[in-house]
Amino acid sequence: MNYRIFILLISLTTIIGCKPYETTKVRKNQITYDEFRLQQRTFPSQDGVIKYIDKGNGPVIVLLHGVPTSGWLYRKMIDPLVSGGYRVVVPDMLGFGSSDSPEGFDIYNEQNHAKRLLELMEGLGVEKWTQVVHDAGGVWTWELIKSQPHRIENLVLLNTVIFDNGFYPPIQLQPGIASKTKMWSYRKGIATNNLFKKLFDEGLQENTLNHLDVEGYKIPLTEGKTDALYYYYSETCNTLPDYRDVFESFNVPTMVIWGIHDTMLQWPPQQISVANSFAIKEEAIHIIDEKHFVQETKAKKISYLIRNFLSSDKEK
């Protein structure tokens, strides 16, 4: 039997009836993925087109997603931050969301993601900004800080990758045909539901997402955007770089907002190291009652914490 047909049959058997959402009931004023994409603008980076949202006026806040998400993760936080008097930039990093997904491996390494984010900000004419990071957005940010630390004037850490201690990736792959077949199954929609059901069941205390919520996460994968995932799960998750020297030389106001029940990025094993490395004041550490995807259930709370943090820092 053809190998791919065999994998297809096994996968279909596994995922029959597996839905990554709990309801099809739509919330009032809920944005669809098509509507979100219509708000996005286009930036031609050297490696491919990057899609991004740029909304509001005032000091700039960059909302940086991780893996396997995109700017869609922050859809509920954009307006609350804009209404606070900020210009909010939300990119889909190359290989994610609506951005291009060129074939390749090293094109998706941490250094190249950082380079492209700097390209975008220079293209927008933004010299300094507040960086909000989640998940793999952390490692891309540490690489950016290595090359141009003066660009980030405030930092907000949302359940992001910092140290090996506390980092328990939900997926770890070895490069090769088996892992590439898994990526193929995501592109073909065979195991996509399974992937997001696993992530949301593990990443939310209660998975209350509906089909429109999940659509914004699934569609990019079924459009073929899996090379960036393949790099992260088979490279970064196995050999996380050590950025302690970067943290020691970086000194900007930093706030932590962390879902305490996160099993993928655990806070207790690294809380002292994080607080010391970034010189975070105790009042700037906010532990909230959630798991990994804090933006899905705590968007307003997070947005107002960020606004308060930035306004209090401005007053000093």
Side-chain angles (χ1 to χ4, degrees):
M1 181 185 292
N2 181 282
Y3 179 70
R4 286 192 171 180
I5 293 176
F6 174 75
I7 293 294
L8 173 60
L9 292 174
I10 293 297
S11 299
L12 287 174
T13 301
T14 303
I15 65 174
I16 286 175
C18 171
K19 294 187 299 184
Y21 53 84
E22 294 301 316
T23 178
T24 56
K25 184 177 180 181
V26 176
R27 297 185 301 275
K28 185 179 179 181
N29 299 323
Q30 181 172 356
I31 188 172
T32 68
Y33 194 46
D34 284 343
E35 291 167 342
F36 182 83
R37 282 181 153 178
L38 285 173
Q39 297 180 40
Q40 291 182 306
R41 305 182 188 187
T42 299
F43 175 77
S45 81
Q46 292 182 11
D47 298 320
V49 167
I50 290 177
K51 294 285 188 174
Y52 67 98
I53 283 178
D54 185 352
K55 191 171 182 180
N57 297 288
V60 176
I61 301 175
V62 172
L63 304 179
L64 190 61
H65 67 84
V67 180
T69 60
S70 67
W72 175 252
L73 176 69
Y74 289 103
R75 66 197 181 281
K76 302 173 187 176
M77 290 177 55
I78 297 171
D79 287 345
L81 291 173
V82 167
S83 67
Y86 294 96
R87 177 183 175 188
V88 180
V89 176
V90 191
D92 286 351
M93 299 298 280
L94 200 73
F96 299 92
S98 303
S99 294
D100 282 353
S101 182
E103 290 186 5
F105 187 72
D106 285 340
I107 194 172
Y108 297 112
N109 67 27
E110 292 79 22
Q111 296 88 347
N112 281 324
H113 279 306
K115 178 199 74 173
R116 288 186 289 266
L117 182 57
L118 284 169
E119 273 188 68
L120 172 63
M121 301 311 287
E122 287 164 4
L124 295 178
V126 178
E127 179 63 27
K128 293 179 180 290
W129 64 88
T130 293
Q131 185 114 322
V132 178
V133 299
H134 182 257
D135 194 79
V139 290
W140 306 333
T141 298
W142 315 146
E143 290 294 338
L144 186 155
I145 291 170
K146 278 171 70 173
S147 62
Q148 296 193 31
H150 61 284
R151 306 299 292 274
I152 296 177
E153 55 186 359
N154 298 284
L155 181 65
V156 179
L157 309 175
L158 306 178
N159 292 67
T160 196
V161 180
I162 306 173
F163 296 107
D164 254 328
N165 199 12
F167 181 40
Y168 297 95
I171 300 173
Q172 284 181 281
L173 305 174
Q174 294 301 319
I177 185 63
S179 297
K180 288 180 178 178
T181 300
K182 184 180 285 288
M183 296 299 114
W184 172 83
S185 72
Y186 295 155
R187 292 193 299 274
K188 297 302 180 183
I190 296 166
T192 324
N193 278 353
N194 220 23
L195 168 67
F196 286 112
K197 179 169 177 56
K198 173 183 171 66
L199 287 178
F200 294 136
D201 285 352
E202 290 186 16
L204 291 168
Q205 287 214 88
E206 184 181 1
N207 182 0
T208 58
L209 303 185
N210 62 36
H211 65 295
L212 292 183
D213 292 318
V214 176
E215 184 180 67
Y217 294 110
K218 283 180 56 178
I219 287 176
L221 270 66
T222 56
E223 290 176 339
K225 295 167 185 175
T226 57
D227 281 2
L229 272 65
Y230 178 71
Y231 180 91
Y232 180 72
Y233 289 138
S234 67
E235 181 68 25
T236 309
C237 287
N238 293 322
T239 56
L240 182 66
D242 186 343
Y243 291 106
R244 282 174 293 185
D245 289 345
V246 176
F247 305 149
E248 288 174 6
S249 61
F250 182 65
N251 183 26
V252 302
T254 301
M255 177 172 68
V256 169
I257 306 173
W258 208 281
I260 190 60
H261 307 294
D262 193 343
T263 57
M264 309 176 206
L265 285 164
Q266 298 179 11
W267 177 247
Q270 59 183 318
Q271 59 182 335
I272 295 175
S273 297
V274 173
N276 290 340
S277 295
F278 293 92
I280 306 173
K281 298 177 181 178
E282 186 176 349
E283 60 269 23
I285 298 177
H286 303 272
I287 304 304
I288 59 179
D289 187 25
E290 188 47 277
K291 291 187 177 180
H292 185 68
F293 296 105
V294 290
Q295 300 91 331
E296 282 293 351
T297 61
K298 307 292 184 182
K300 284 187 178 180
K301 179 173 184 174
I302 293 170
S303 300
Y304 288 117
L305 284 172
I306 292 172
R307 285 168 49 170
N308 290 339
F309 170 65
L310 296 180
S311 62
S312 63
D313 181 61
K314 195 184 303 181
E315 291 169 2
K316 292 177 184 177

